[in-house]
Amino acid sequence: GKGACTCAFFRPDGKKIIFASSHSDPELGDPQWAQNAPGYKRDNANYSWEFTPYMNIYEANLDGSELKPLTEGPAYTAECAYSSDGQKIVFASNRSGSMNIYTMDADGSEICQVTKTNSSYNGGPFFSPDNTQIIFRADREKAHYLQIYSIDSDGSNERKLTDNGAVNWAPYWHPNGKMVAFTTSLHGHWQYEIYMLNVETGAFARITHNPSFDGLPVFDNEGRRLLWTSKRGENSCQIFIADFYLPKEL
């Protein structure tokens, strides 16, 4: 369709996907609005992602057929992921007036608000492998300077896991449920790198060493392969995959 699409995630059984799209936005029929609609924008080396109105979560078959809306309305509702058993979905939405973390049943029912901040951004959530915790990013102290947080799935026991003055984002659980990989600007905004954090001990380890961009890490189900985005070797982001071994210091 004409809307922006983002945040696709496989259902654990591999038979469905969820993703977010703004193709139900009633203004998309206006050619001028469609040209200027918010969403992904790139200007030379800079990019931005606006909180697109009428962004909602959809379920579909792998070929895009049997499209089914799971949320509706004029808010930005996206950044969605399944629980490991496929029974729940965690997502971010500004339906309350500010961006917070929510969960819902996989059919779109039983929506529950997990974080309850009034001014900061909370987003990019993922369930832990045992589904008891949610990892996410938030800029509570300084706008755009994201830090990594964890919270129990019922909204209790929130913990701030990074506090280093850098931008820390795109956290993703290792299958052992004790560690997360994330992207950080600790070495400068022109050299984002991937680090890992042991959420139980607080220990950190650097994973990538490359003078460009490395980020958006994800693991396979066994934790033996790492998939990520990098600018290494060229001036555009490409997808890389490598064998992965847990750092000894973690």
Side-chain angles (χ1 to χ4, degrees):
K2 296 181 179 179
C5 293
T6 186
C7 306
F9 199 91
F10 284 104
R11 197 169 71 184
D13 64 7
K15 297 179 179 180
K16 294 279 188 179
I17 57 170
I18 51 173
F19 66 98
S21 176
S22 63
H23 63 239
S24 66
D25 188 336
E27 299 292 337
L28 287 177
D30 182 342
Q32 184 175 0
W33 169 257
Q35 183 177 2
N36 298 313
Y40 175 79
K41 292 184 176 67
R42 175 171 288 278
D43 179 15
N44 296 324
N46 298 315
Y47 70 92
S48 64
W49 181 262
E50 304 289 345
F51 295 148
T52 312
Y54 285 94
M55 182 70 78
N56 281 290
I57 298 171
Y58 293 80
E59 177 193 80
N61 293 329
L62 302 188
D63 63 0
S65 62
E66 295 187 22
L67 189 67
K68 175 185 175 182
L70 301 180
T71 67
E72 59 183 15
Y76 172 94
T77 301
E79 304 174 22
C80 47
Y82 281 106
S83 59
S84 61
D85 58 9
Q87 299 300 305
K88 292 280 188 179
I89 294 171
V90 64
F91 62 95
S93 178
N94 59 8
R95 59 180 56 207
S96 67
S98 60
M99 193 65 65
N100 277 290
I101 306 298
Y102 294 79
T103 62
M104 64 181 175
D105 289 350
D107 62 2
S109 63
E110 301 298 326
I111 294 177
C112 296
Q113 186 172 344
V114 178
T115 62
K116 297 178 172 66
T117 61
N118 295 321
S119 58
S120 64
Y121 163 86
N122 302 268
F126 293 99
F127 282 109
S128 61
D130 65 3
N131 303 316
T132 62
Q133 298 180 74
I134 295 167
I135 199 85
F136 66 100
R137 61 198 185 212
D139 59 353
R140 303 283 177 82
E141 286 81 24
K142 184 179 179 181
H144 308 303
Y145 275 75
L146 300 160
Q147 300 297 327
I148 307 301
Y149 290 77
S150 69
I151 192 170
D152 288 355
S153 298
D154 63 3
S156 63
N157 194 32
E158 183 178 281
R159 299 169 58 207
K160 185 179 182 181
L161 301 179
T162 63
D163 190 9
N164 55 17
V167 177
N168 304 278
W169 58 292
Y172 196 87
W173 290 95
H174 186 272
N176 68 13
K178 298 178 180 179
M179 304 173 194
V180 294
F182 65 97
T183 310
T184 182
S185 68
L186 196 59
H187 301 277
H189 290 290
W190 298 103
Q191 188 181 346
Y192 277 85
E193 299 282 6
I194 297 172
Y195 271 63
M196 283 198 76
L197 162 68
N198 187 316
V199 299
E200 296 182 350
T201 67
F204 288 89
R206 185 174 178 178
I207 303 302
T208 59
H209 297 74
N210 178 52
S212 62
F213 175 87
D214 285 285
L216 303 166
V218 297
F219 295 101
D220 67 1
N221 290 337
E222 290 75 37
R224 297 175 182 172
R225 304 279 275 173
L226 179 71
L227 187 75
W228 78 101
T229 299
S230 180
K231 281 188 174 182
R232 61 185 62 205
E234 40 187 300
N235 194 31
S236 62
C237 287
Q238 303 293 334
I239 304 299
F240 286 76
I241 191 168
D243 293 336
F244 182 79
Y245 303 91
L246 281 171
K248 293 181 179 179
E249 57 265 43
L250 296 182

